[in-house]
Amino acid sequence: MVRIRALLILALLLVPLVGPVMPAHAATIPISEVDEAIRLGVEAVYRAVRPVDTSFSKYVMPDHPSPTISIAYNGKLYVPGSFFDPGDSIYKTELVKVSNNMVAWRYYFNIDDDDDYDVVIYAELTNIDYNIDRLYIYIDKAEYNIDVYVGAYSPYKYFNVGQGWSTTIDINDWNKYKFHSARYVARHSTRIAAWLLEDEGASYTASKLHNLMNGCGYTYDVYAPIFGRSTSYPDDFFTRDATWLGNGYSCLPWTLSKYSYFLNYPYKSRMYIFDAFSSYTYHAALRAWEEAPLANLLKAMHLLDKYGASRASEAEQLIAQVIEDGKWDGYGIKYASIDAGYVASGYHTGPEIPYGYAGYPVYLNAALLAALVKYYQVTGDRWIAGNDILYMADRLAGILVKLQWKYEHKTPWGYVRLALFRGWWPAAYEIGSLISKSSAWGIIDTLTHTADNVAGILAKVGIDFPSEALRPMPSEWPFAIVNSESTILAIQALKLYRQLGREPIDPISDVIAGFDGIFVESGGGGYAAIGGSHGGETSDDGRWIVASALVPGLSGDAWHYQYAKFKFNLESSGYYKLRIASMVSYNGKDSYGSSAYVYLVVKLLNAYGNVVAQVEKLVDHVDENTLFNKAKAVTVELDTGYLTSGTYYVEIGLKVVADNSPISWEGVWINGKVVNDEIVIAQ
């Protein structure tokens, strides 16, 4: 039996309209919008921080905005989310309804230790206008009269109320500081909030935040490189206990007395739970973190900050690995892989397990933006592994600007208007209209949620964890889709990007031309050896191009070139530059001895069809003898020379080549897509 090897190349090119002199490109975002996003974000962080002790010497950063509603009964305060209660026996929360301008939910409390919930509170948060949300509270059920506390900082208090009681509170700019989660986040949010505010000149407030972290033994933080704070750190700080555990969870203060001026309880990181379970589990979790793309980006920035250009090549390799493993697609990275052997034993023995995140994580893509900016600032090099990192940075910055919650935003429940979230960022997003999502920890989400569910099932059948230290915490508010960690990192990434003086690309607006670029022609052609094939297609409006080439059998080659051509009128004479910025993604399987090539071709022609200037840029030469899935940001810049006014044509094409080899009999294939996000002809 003869095994037939085949080499197939398929690529897609989307082409926007082209125009002269002035840029015709994907819509850009004015620098003023970047500045406004930073301003709103810093303002949101500054409003959120609050004291955690009666001496006002230590401050904390809450997890998220929240209309937290607590109750007091028989001298005890019940604050949503503050229970180590895997079985929901004491407390639970339920999302009831989400509409365009309203979120409704319920709290359930068991305050007498029996088998049912004694108090059920229904609440609605309704948006009134750009600045006001109206909170409505109604007691559905109360077996006992209770006190109701609303907010976490100087809360509103209502005493001795019962079933059927209700109240309404308008949340506005004057009292919004009250409405953040009682849950605060020490590592990492409190420390990085301190650095952010410190850099903004709020040194007094920052010192209070530092006091909490220093007092509990958090000597280091993994996000320090993003804020330029790791130059004095040892290189192994990423896995030290002083980074992750400090002096332990018990060191973090709680202020949940019914007489408290502020309500605070610390978020319980899974690292504390892993450590409480066993030393092995904790160190395996650290090794899993080391395998994550975030770790590579932070390590790269640490090397650049501490050692500068002398360690830039190592930083470049770390960033390149993240881009490739993360499958950069023009909207961010959302994939990774983990060496199971390293997690289990500390040795890189495999297998390598790929996984995807539930959306594009904001914290991860903010770190990617920061790493790209820092690498460019240190090296002056805009290319990493064939990727134009300035173009990538423009897109990431545009995504972060558009993703910030300002008033109305798209969520998994549709468009929602809320003033409470203004200035904050979600944990994750999806492409298109940039839908905000509440979580995106990928395999970590899967593992921890599974553990929580198992704990809940065991608790409901009477089997509880022997130690409270092993129990997770429930949600405080079911509509908490923004959070402080993502928010602070997004602000800092935009601040770093702002130093470049560039305008971000709007990732969700249609590609614009604004001139008289007219699609006039498409075509293509190629060659294939006997038994092979080639082909291509251009859409009716010239927006996309497909090209393919296939070689079956033992020898021979195939190639195909497919293009779209646009006509425009150049109004004035002068020297011009043609710039094409493209996203190229491709996947497939190559075989030993064989290879495939993908080229982006750009031509400028005069009115008679003669070529004035052209470039054929190699996107990639695939020769890996393995399955692959890659993406690159590719920029082509072409000096046109002196052009007189008149009619010209721009031809944008895709050339694919299947280079057959008689060495291997294995099947070979490649699929690809090229999207042009920017076409500029400017003086």
Side-chain angles (χ1 to χ4, degrees):
M1 177 179 177
V2 177
R3 300 173 65 187
I4 304 299
R5 59 178 299 284
L7 179 58
L8 171 65
I9 304 174
L10 176 63
L12 173 65
L13 174 63
L14 295 189
V15 184
L17 296 179
V18 181
V21 186
M22 298 293 290
H25 53 83
T28 57
I29 297 171
I31 289 292
S32 59
E33 287 194 32
V34 180
D35 292 339
E36 179 65 4
I38 294 171
R39 186 194 69 80
L40 284 175
V42 171
E43 181 180 283
V45 172
Y46 190 78
R47 283 189 172 193
V49 298
R50 64 170 179 261
V52 75
D53 62 336
T54 54
S55 65
F56 289 73
S57 64
K58 298 175 181 178
Y59 285 10
V60 293
M61 182 67 199
D63 195 4
H64 51 78
S66 173
T68 299
I69 302 168
S70 309
I71 66 171
Y73 172 73
N74 199 24
K76 182 178 179 181
L77 187 65
Y78 294 80
V79 178
S82 65
F83 309 98
F84 302 118
D85 179 27
D88 295 339
S89 60
I90 302 173
Y91 154 86
K92 74 173 183 178
T93 183
E94 171 192 30
L95 188 62
V96 176
K97 181 182 179 181
V98 179
S99 69
N100 178 251
N101 70 332
M102 187 270 287
V103 178
W105 69 100
R106 283 190 176 90
Y107 294 117
Y108 298 79
F109 297 95
N110 181 353
I111 60 176
D112 62 5
D113 297 326
D114 60 7
D115 293 332
D116 67 342
Y117 296 109
D118 312 297
V119 177
V120 179
I121 295 179
Y122 173 83
E124 291 180 357
L125 188 65
T126 302
N127 177 253
I128 303 302
D129 58 31
Y130 185 77
N131 296 304
I132 299 174
D133 295 321
R134 182 161 295 156
L135 177 63
Y136 169 73
I137 304 169
Y138 177 81
I139 299 180
D140 270 348
K141 174 185 177 182
E143 295 182 7
Y144 313 94
N145 277 10
I146 57 173
D147 300 336
V148 175
Y149 291 40
V150 184
Y153 193 167
S154 182
Y156 297 104
K157 298 179 180 181
Y158 306 89
F159 299 105
N160 197 35
V161 297
Q163 185 168 315
W165 173 85
S166 66
T167 192
T168 300
I169 301 170
D170 281 355
I171 302 175
N172 52 45
D173 287 343
W174 297 103
N175 64 0
K176 189 180 289 186
Y177 72 94
K178 297 175 180 285
F179 294 97
H180 296 90
S181 61
R183 177 178 297 178
Y184 69 88
V185 182
R187 177 191 50 79
H188 309 277
S189 293
T190 294
R191 180 69 85 185
I192 61 179
W195 286 328
L196 177 73
L197 295 179
E198 201 168 62
D199 290 343
E200 290 294 318
S203 56
Y204 177 81
T205 301
S207 69
K208 306 287 187 178
L209 295 161
H210 283 311
N211 286 346
L212 175 86
M213 301 303 290
N214 295 339
C216 281
Y218 291 98
T219 308
Y220 313 110
D221 194 280
V222 296
Y223 286 127
I226 295 183
F227 295 84
R229 298 306 205 280
S230 72
T231 54
S232 62
Y233 283 13
D235 292 344
D236 67 348
F237 79 91
F238 290 104
T239 55
R240 291 196 176 192
D241 290 352
T243 300
W244 293 99
L245 301 177
N247 295 337
Y249 183 69
S250 60
C251 178
L252 299 172
W254 293 59
T255 49
L256 294 185
S257 164
K258 62 181 292 186
Y259 305 106
S260 297
Y261 185 65
F262 31 74
L263 307 180
N264 292 296
Y265 68 93
Y267 165 70
K268 189 177 184 181
S269 163
R270 294 307 196 284
M271 284 297 187
Y272 294 122
I273 298 176
F274 294 145
D275 182 56
F277 191 80
S278 72
S279 175
Y280 171 81
T281 305
Y282 165 66
H283 286 96
L286 282 183
R287 291 192 293 270
W289 182 85
E290 284 187 278
E291 288 282 287
L294 177 64
N296 281 341
L297 294 172
L298 296 175
K299 289 175 184 176
M301 282 183 277
H302 171 66
L303 294 175
L304 293 167
D305 266 348
K306 187 173 182 179
Y307 301 103
S310 66
R311 303 286 292 273
S313 62
E314 295 172 63
E316 179 184 12
Q317 292 172 16
L318 290 168
I319 298 170
Q321 181 180 337
V322 171
I323 294 171
E324 182 161 335
D325 291 349
K327 300 180 182 178
W328 165 260
D329 60 1
Y331 290 93
I333 54 177
K334 60 184 296 189
Y335 297 96
S337 63
I338 192 169
D339 187 321
Y342 180 71
V343 173
S345 66
Y347 297 97
H348 289 281
T349 58
E352 195 78 16
I353 302 175
Y355 64 92
Y357 294 90
Y360 297 80
V362 168
Y363 72 90
L364 178 56
N365 286 284
L368 176 59
L369 173 57
L372 297 178
V373 171
K374 287 203 173 188
Y375 178 82
Y376 177 74
Q377 289 176 326
V378 169
T379 67
D381 184 1
R382 68 183 292 167
W383 299 95
I384 291 181
N387 292 279
D388 182 347
I389 63 173
L390 290 184
Y391 171 63
M392 293 175 66
D394 291 341
R395 289 192 64 90
L396 287 168
I399 286 168
L400 290 181
V401 170
K402 291 298 182 181
L403 191 62
Q404 184 185 40
W405 194 293
K406 297 180 178 67
Y407 182 40
E408 183 176 60
H409 209 84
K410 192 171 185 182
T411 75
W413 300 273
Y415 283 98
V416 177
R417 295 196 307 271
L418 278 181
L420 183 65
F421 288 167
R422 182 170 304 120
W424 291 71
W425 272 265
Y429 59 95
E430 288 292 354
I431 62 174
S433 55
L434 296 180
I435 300 171
S436 297
K437 300 186 70 174
S438 58
S439 182
W441 288 95
I443 196 170
I444 298 175
D445 265 342
T446 301
L447 295 175
T448 55
H449 288 171
T450 299
D452 292 354
N453 291 337
V454 170
I457 293 171
L458 292 175
K460 288 177 180 178
V461 297
I463 303 174
D464 200 359
F465 284 119
S467 170
E468 189 178 84
L470 297 176
R471 299 175 187 168
M473 278 181 163
S475 166
E476 180 170 329
W477 188 38
F479 196 69
I481 63 174
V482 297
N483 70 59
S484 54
E485 182 176 331
S486 294
T487 295
I488 298 167
L489 293 175
I491 297 167
Q492 181 64 11
L494 287 176
K495 289 180 67 177
L496 292 173
Y497 174 80
R498 183 65 177 82
Q499 296 171 9
L500 300 180
R502 297 173 63 87
E503 288 190 339
I505 292 174
D506 185 342
I508 59 175
S509 294
D510 290 334
V511 175
I512 62 172
F515 309 101
D516 61 348
I518 302 171
F519 173 57
V520 294
E521 180 183 313
S522 65
Y527 163 83
I530 296 176
S533 64
H534 66 92
E537 182 183 1
T538 304
S539 65
D540 292 340
D541 58 3
R543 290 293 300 276
W544 55 262
I545 300 167
V546 172
S548 64
L550 169 67
V551 181
L554 301 178
S555 62
D557 302 314
W559 63 269
H560 189 87
Y561 174 69
Q562 190 74 19
Y563 68 88
K565 186 181 293 184
F566 298 87
K567 174 184 177 181
F568 65 90
N569 292 316
L570 194 63
E571 295 178 356
S572 60
S573 302
Y575 291 91
Y576 291 85
K577 177 171 287 188
L578 177 62
R579 173 185 167 92
I580 310 290
S582 303
M583 278 306 309
V584 184
S585 58
Y586 43 100
N587 64 85
K589 182 177 182 180
D590 196 15
S591 297
Y592 175 68
S594 300
S595 55
Y597 302 83
V598 180
Y599 298 89
L600 183 63
V601 180
V602 179
K603 298 178 182 179
L604 179 66
L605 305 98
N606 62 22
Y608 305 102
N610 299 319
V611 175
V612 176
Q614 68 177 339
V615 64
E616 182 176 289
K617 184 174 181 64
L618 176 64
V619 175
D620 201 1
H621 167 209
V622 183
D623 187 12
E624 300 188 0
N625 194 30
T626 184
L627 286 168
F628 60 87
N629 192 332
K630 298 183 178 183
K632 288 188 177 182
V634 180
T635 301
V636 172
E637 290 188 342
L638 180 62
D639 289 320
T640 66
Y642 186 81
L643 301 178
T644 59
S645 60
T647 299
Y648 289 87
Y649 299 90
V650 170
E651 180 176 308
I652 302 174
L654 191 64
K655 181 179 179 181
V656 294
V657 180
D659 185 8
N660 187 35
S661 169
I663 297 176
S664 174
W665 294 48
E666 296 292 329
V668 184
W669 55 274
I670 178 171
N671 294 295
K673 179 171 73 173
V674 181
V675 181
N676 278 350
D677 282 303
E678 184 179 52
I679 299 180
V680 179
I681 304 175
Q683 288 183 308

